[in-house]
Amino acid sequence: MRRLSKVSLGILGLLAILSTKSAAFAAGPEADFKTAYAAAEAAEKQAGVLRNQWLPTETALADARKAAEKSDFDRAVAAAKEAEALAKASIFQANSEKEAWKNLEIR
Amino acid sequence: MATRVGRTGRRLSVRFLLISLASLVVTLLQAPAGADSVDPAAEARAFRDYFLHKFPNVKPDDFVNGPYALNEDMRRQWEEKEQFPPYEFSLENGKELFARPFANGKHYADCFADQGIAIRQNYPQFDAASGKVVTLELALNQCREANGEKAISYTGEDMAALTAYMAYTSRGMPFDIKIPNDPRAIEAYENGKRYFYTRRGQLNFSCATCHVQNPGEHLRAEVLAPALGILNAMPIYRSEWGGMGTTSRRFISCNSQVRGVPLPPQSDEYRDLEYYLSYVSNGLPISGPGSRP
C-alpha cells in the first residue's frame, strides 16, 4: 500500500514536471496574448449572436491588437482580458434583459 | 385558471364556486387581454395616457414636436428658426430626387400608392409576402432595386432628402399604422416593443430610460424628446450633425450613446422597433421634416 502510493506519487511528480515544462515551452507572452485574445473574441462573438455588443469591448479588442503588433504583450493581454470581461458583462445583460425588460414597460 | 377554480370547487361549497366563477367572468370582461395575449390597441392607449398624464399641459398633437413640446425656451428659438427652416435645402433636393426618372424611365412614384404623395403616415407597413416590416426608407431602396438602380445609404443625405419630401407631403396627416391579423405582424410588433424596453450598452439604458422615464430632462446640451410622437418629425435636421438625419441614423446614434454597438441600418430589429414606435403614435400628425438645435 505504502509502496504503491510512493510509486504513484513519483508518477504524479513526473507528470507535474513534464506539464510545467511543456507549459513553459508553449507559454511566453505572445502565447498568453493569443489565449486571452481568443477568449475575448469568443465572448464578443456570443454577445453578437445576442445582438448586444458594447462599443468599449470593441475598443479594448482593438487596443489589444494594436499593443500586440508592437509586441507589447503585457498591455495586449491586459486589454484582451478587459475585453473579455466587458463582453461577458454584455452577455449577462442580454440574458437578464430577456425577462427584465418588462419592468420598464408602460401598462 | 380553470383548474384552480375546479380544485377550489371540490374543497368548498357549490355556492362559493358560483361566486368565484362569477368573479372570473367579471375579470375576463374587464381585461379582455390575458397576460399572454397581445392587445396592441390597448397598449397604445396606455402608452399615450402615460405621456398625457406626465405632461398635462402639453396638447396631444404637440408631442410630435419632440423637445419643443416640453421646453418653452427651446420652443421660442425654434419658432423663430422656422421662418427659414434649415431643412429647406434638403426638402427641395428631395423633391427633385423624387421626380428624377430611373435609367429605365420609371419613377419612385410608380412604386407607391397615390404616386407616393401624402402616404408617409402609412409607413412602416407589414408586408405579408416577406412576412416582415417594410419602412419607408426600405421601400425606397426596394423601389430602386426593382428598377435596376443601386440602393442608397440609409444614413446619407439623399435618403434623408427623399423621406423629408415624402413626410412634407403628409404633414398634418395622422399616423395610421396597421397591424394585420397575422401572427408574424403581431410578433414584429412584440419584438419592436421588447427592443424598445431592453437595456443595452455599457450604460445599461433602454430607449425607454431616456424617452419614457426622462423626457424633458437635459442630457448634456440636449432636451430628451418624449417617446410619444418621436418618429412623426423624422427625418430631422440637427445642427450637431450639420445636416439631416434619417430614422436609421437616429437609431444608430442613440444606440452608440449608451455605448452599444449599433445594428446595421434596417436590420430586422430596427424595422420592428420603428413599427412599434409608429404604431403607438397612431393618430398623431406627421410633422416632418423636423429641425433640432
Side-chain angles (χ1 to χ4, degrees), chain B residues 264-282:
Chain B
Q266 298 300 320
S267 54
D268 289 351
E269 288 88 344
Y270 282 165
R271 286 153 72 176
D272 293 349
L273 172 66
E274 189 175 336
Y275 192 43
Y276 169 73
L277 276 177
S278 305
Y279 181 82
V280 293
S281 295
N282 262 352

Side-chain angles (χ1 to χ4, degrees), chain B residues 108-141:
Chain B
Y108 285 113
D110 299 320
C111 297
F112 292 94
D114 297 333
Q115 300 284 294
I117 303 302
I119 57 152
R120 187 268 175 272
Q121 70 281 6
N122 302 325
Y123 281 84
Q125 293 179 350
F126 180 77
D127 172 45
S130 62
K132 289 187 174 204
V133 168
V134 177
T135 64
L136 186 61
E137 291 174 24
L138 190 70
L140 281 161
N141 263 343

